Every structure is written in C-alpha cells, then in structure tokens.
C-alpha cells in the first residue's frame, strides 16, 4: 500500500465538517491515495499552492468563503487541476453552477464509497490522458461535430445555448437529462454529449424504455443469466454492462416501470449491475444520459416516476426546443439534409426554390426535425434532381399541420365513444383498442394529443397501431 501511495499524485480535501473529513480521508487512504485536508478556504488555498494537487475535493459551503469563488481562484492558478465539487442534497443548482464554472465532476451528499472513489479515479484517468506539457487544457469547442449532423445543426440562439451547455458538461460524469417534444433531436443531443466527452472512444448504448415490453426491460438494461427465466438460453450482458467505459442513453425514461426504477436508482448509487439470475453484482463505469418527451416533474407528481430517482438524474437539464421556436434553423437543417440524402441516393440537387424556402420557414412542423428530415428524404427519393420546387414536395405539405405523406399511420375508423356497458363482453385488448381509437378520432387523428389525454407516450400508441396492422386489421 505504501508503494502504491508513493507514486500517486496528491489529493486535497477542503471540507469544514470534522466528521466528514475523517470519513473521506479514511476512504481515500484505504484506496492508496495521499490526502491532505483543509477546513477553511484560506487554509485550502495555502495548501493548494504548496502541494499542486492533481485533484481537489471541494465542499461548496465553507465557513470563511464561498466555495465557487475559491474554485475559480484555484483554476486560475492551475487550470489543469480536476476539481470535484461537493454539495448537499438541496443544493444541486450550486453543483450545476460549479460544472459550468469548470468543475470536473460533483458529488451530492450523501454518497457512497463507490461513487466517491469513482469520481476521483475518473478525474485521475482523464488527467493521465492529457498532453504532458504545461499548456492549459483547451476546452471543447462550442460547435459540435457528429457523424450525422443534419438534425443537430442550427445557429439560432436556442441551439447556441445548447451547444454551449454541452461543451461545459460533456467532460464531466454528471448525469444529463434531456427533455423535449418527439422529433426534436434528443438522441443526437445525447450523442453530442458522448462525442465531446473523455468517453468518446467508448461505446454509446441507446435504449428506448418505451419501446421494450416492461417484463423484458430489466433484462435489456441489466442482462440475464442462462436459465434465469423461460427463454433465457444463454447469458446476455445488458445495456449497462455493454456501455462500460462509455455512455448509456435511456430514452423515454419516464416509461420505466416503478420496480425497475428502484433497481436503476441502486445502479446509480453503487455503479454495479446484477443480471437477472446472477448471484453477484458487477462493477461498471458508465455515464448516464436520459431523455423524455414528457414533463418529468409532472410524472413525479402523478406518482409515475420516483422522486428520488428524478433528483438523482435531473442534474444537468437540457431542453431541446421545438423546431417552430428555432428561428432560421429550418432552412439550415433542410439544406444539410438535402446534401446528405442526395449524396446517399447518388443524385444532384442544386438547392431550394425561393418559394419552397418560404413555405418551409412558415410551416409549424408538429413532428419537429424528424418530420422535416422525412420531407427532404421524400423529395430526394421521388425526384431526379435539380432545384427543389413546390411541385416536388409531398402532397398536402402546404396545409396547416403535418404532412400526410409522413404523418402517423391513420387508425382504423373509430366508433363514437362507448358507454361503460358497451365494453362489457369485450376482451381487455379489444376495449383498449376501442378507447384508443375513440380518443384519436376525438382529436382529429393526432397521436401526440391523444397520448396526452391517455397519459401515455406517443410511441406507445404508435406501437399498438403498428401491431394492429400486423394482425391484418
């Protein structure tokens, strides 16, 4: 242990509570780290200048000075230092401020030993990958580059703010919670966080919690062992284990069943996974990014989403704005998509006719970026090339609302809403279908509006409608 400690860079702990000083120091020393402790900001600054520590664990509430102000002074003296902010459970906003001001990571009290040590080890691992010269670390660029950028470009103020936020938080371990309507590019946002992080060379595993039956979701997230249930013919690593060393993106997180929410919370607290049927947990190093098209706080109020899990996940919120609120981005996205799709199809398109640009700019785009991309794909596939004119656009695009050519599949003709006794004698599946069809008919076939009334995600309705079609209806 002494030999290991001798080669490890020093760690400075700035914490004014004596009992916590003893606990944190004990955990770090047991893991082989050299630790120096300061109880005030002034003492911490003095030790920082003499020790030049690799990592600083900094409580944001100190008796003689604001922790954020001290952090800025420390980074001004040594920009390459990794600072891990520590804050109480009710001060998450302070931790987010610290991340934006340059903190590498943060811990919210109370936290367990595994989370504590993981934060320190990740900070040291990233430090080891940096160039060996004394130049300050260059921050990530605020303009982000992805393999598929057509849905995540735009120079509107709303998108500039998102690029700036991602650039600030990507290299931390902080959980990112992305909200926004369907089709706004939440997964592309998650990819941007991953691509600009120290985990960019690791896996990016995406899992849609609303697209997987609830009885299979636990196996998909945490894996299972051979023979653990009927049909488990071999061991299967779950998404959490597959994302080890990288990022796990949980889309439609609010659709997760309560029982699995409990297990996800434990995973976040311990950084361990236990496959279904396994007797021992396995430690993994995963950064969580999640997303939902619902209001997560409303889901908490309704009892559909655990409050403690919400506060554990909702650390750095990013809201993807609807396309209608991204002034000027429509044409920028459309032009990028036209170039990409034309290249894929081997066709030459020169651009958009002014009348087309005017129409695309005025439409409300209820399906957001996804709908716009589908329109451009439709144009490229069905036309030989040249300038895109109004005649090349899908029929009905000039009408208010969504495009028939790319709209959600129309449900079967629905009868008038049934009284309760009209449902008697039906199977549960039949009654559910009648209710969904009646709600869709009442809202003009709009899946998002019907989903809000029924308090489910739009993807749930799309899946059910698709299953009805597959059954031959």
């Amino acid at each position: 242990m002494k030999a290991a400690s001798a080669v490890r860079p020093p760690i400075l702990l700035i914490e004014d509570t004596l009992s916590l000083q003893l606990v944190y120091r004990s955990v770090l020393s047991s893991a082989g780290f050299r630790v120096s402790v300061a109880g005030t900001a002034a003492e911490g600054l003095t030790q920082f200048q003499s020790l030049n520590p690799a990592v600083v664990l900094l409580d944001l509430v100190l008796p003689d000075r604001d922790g954020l102000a001290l952090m800025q002074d420390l980074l001004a003296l040594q920009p390459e230092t990794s600072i891990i902010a520590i804050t109480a459970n009710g001060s998450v906003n302070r931790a987010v401020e610290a991340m934006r001001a340059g903190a590498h990571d943060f811990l919210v009290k109370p936290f367990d030993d595994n989370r504590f040590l993981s934060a320190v080890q990740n900070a040291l691992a990233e430090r080891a990958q940096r160039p060996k010269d004394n130049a300050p670390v260059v921050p990530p660029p605020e303009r982000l580059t992805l393999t598929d950028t057509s849905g995540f470009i735009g120079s509107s103020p709303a998108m500039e703010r998102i690029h700036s936020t991602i650039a600030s938080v990507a290299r931390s371990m902080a959980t990112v919670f992305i909200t926004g309507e369907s089709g706004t590019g939440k997964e592309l946002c998650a990819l941007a966080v991953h691509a600009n992080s120290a985990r960019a060379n690791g896996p990016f595993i995406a899992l849609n919690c609303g697209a997987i039956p609830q009885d299979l979701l636990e196996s998909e997230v945490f894996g299972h062992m051979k023979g653990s249930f009927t049909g488990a013919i071999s061991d299967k690593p779950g998404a959490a284990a597959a994302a080890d060393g990288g990022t796990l993106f949980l889309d439609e997180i609010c659709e997760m069943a309560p029982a699995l929410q409990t297990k996800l919370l434990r995973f976040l607290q311990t950084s361990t996974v236990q496959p279904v049927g396994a007797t021992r947990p396995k430690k993994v190093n995963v950064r969580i990014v999640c997303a939902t098209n619902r209001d997560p706080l409303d889901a908490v109020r309704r009892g559909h989403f655990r409050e403690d899990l919400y506060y554990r996940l909702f650390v750095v919120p990013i809201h993807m704005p609807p396309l209608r609120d991204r002034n000027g981005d429509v044409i920028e996205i459309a032009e990028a998509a036209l170039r990409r799709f034309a290249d894929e199809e081997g066709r030459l398109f020169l651009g958009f006719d002014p009348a087309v640009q005017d129409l695309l700019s005025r439409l409300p785009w209820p399906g957001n970026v996804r709908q716009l991309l589908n329109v451009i794909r439709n144009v490229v596939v069905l036309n030989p090339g040249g300038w895109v004119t109004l005649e090349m656009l899908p029929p009905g695009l000039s009408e208010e609302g969504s495009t028939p050519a790319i709209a959600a599949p129309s449900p079967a003709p629905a009868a008038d809403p049934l009284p309760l006794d009209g449902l008697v004698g039906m199977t549960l599946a039949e009654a559910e279908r009648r209710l969904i069809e009646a709600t869709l008919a009442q809202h003009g076939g709009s899946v998002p509006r019907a989903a809000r009334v029924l308090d489910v995600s739009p993807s749930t309705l799309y899946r059910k409608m698709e299953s009805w079609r597959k059954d031959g209806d």
Side-chain angles (χ1 to χ4, degrees), residues 46-296:
T46 299
Q47 291 202 37
F48 180 84
Q49 292 171 314
S50 62
L51 290 172
N52 187 25
V55 176
V56 175
L57 294 154
L58 173 62
D59 194 323
L60 294 180
V61 179
L62 296 170
D64 57 334
R65 193 178 178 199
D66 178 67
L68 276 179
L70 174 61
M71 185 186 78
Q72 291 170 347
D73 285 352
L74 300 182
L75 290 175
L77 290 169
Q78 295 290 345
E80 69 274 15
T81 304
S82 296
I83 296 182
I84 300 173
I86 300 175
T87 184
N89 190 39
S91 305
V92 173
N93 289 339
R94 293 274 290 163
V96 175
E97 287 181 51
M99 296 298 302
R100 290 173 176 165
H104 176 272
D105 200 352
F106 71 87
L107 299 167
V108 178
K109 302 175 184 176
F111 45 81
D112 61 20
D113 294 357
N114 287 331
R115 174 71 179 98
F116 184 47
L117 290 174
S118 290
V120 175
Q121 290 162 352
N122 288 332
L124 290 171
E126 182 177 323
R127 179 185 174 92
Q129 295 172 1
R130 295 173 184 169
K132 298 302 181 182
D133 57 15
N134 293 323
V137 178
V138 178
E142 294 204 0
R143 301 299 299 177
L144 306 170
T145 302
L146 300 175
T147 303
D148 173 13
T149 59
S150 55
F152 203 68
I153 63 174
S155 52
S156 64
M159 286 305 295
E160 290 291 347
R161 286 192 295 271
I162 288 171
H163 285 302
S164 178
T165 300
I166 292 174
S168 298
V169 305
R171 299 188 71 81
S172 78
M173 274 292 288
T175 302
V176 177
F177 201 123
I178 307 168
T179 57
E181 297 177 8
S182 294
T184 50
K186 294 187 290 295
E187 184 167 349
L188 282 174
C189 181
L191 274 166
V193 172
H194 174 74
N196 288 268
S197 72
R199 299 166 171 266
N201 293 327
F204 177 87
I205 305 297
L207 198 66
N208 189 322
C209 301
I212 301 170
Q214 293 294 340
D215 55 344
L216 298 179
L217 188 55
E218 179 180 359
S219 172
E220 291 294 324
V221 176
F222 298 119
H224 64 250
M225 306 300 291
K226 179 180 179 181
S228 56
F229 55 84
T230 303
I233 59 176
S234 62
D235 293 351
K236 176 183 177 179
D244 193 12
T247 302
L248 175 61
F249 174 54
L250 297 174
D251 198 5
E252 294 195 37
I253 185 73
C254 288
E255 306 307 313
M256 185 177 283
L260 190 54
Q261 291 178 31
T262 303
K263 295 183 178 180
L264 178 61
L265 181 62
R266 177 167 177 77
F267 168 59
L268 293 169
Q269 292 170 335
T270 65
S271 297
T272 60
V273 296
Q274 186 162 352
V276 178
T279 57
R280 287 188 172 184
K282 173 187 176 183
K283 187 172 179 60
V284 295
N285 182 1
V286 174
R287 199 249 185 96
I288 299 291
V289 178
C290 56
T292 182
N293 56 16
R294 301 174 65 179
D295 178 355

Side-chain angles (χ1 to χ4, degrees), residues 330-331 352-363 365 390 393:
V330 172
I331 302 304
F352 296 99
D353 184 88
V356 174
Q357 292 192 30
D358 179 65
L359 175 61
L360 296 181
S361 299
R362 288 188 291 105
L363 287 173
W365 300 110
L390 290 173
L393 299 177

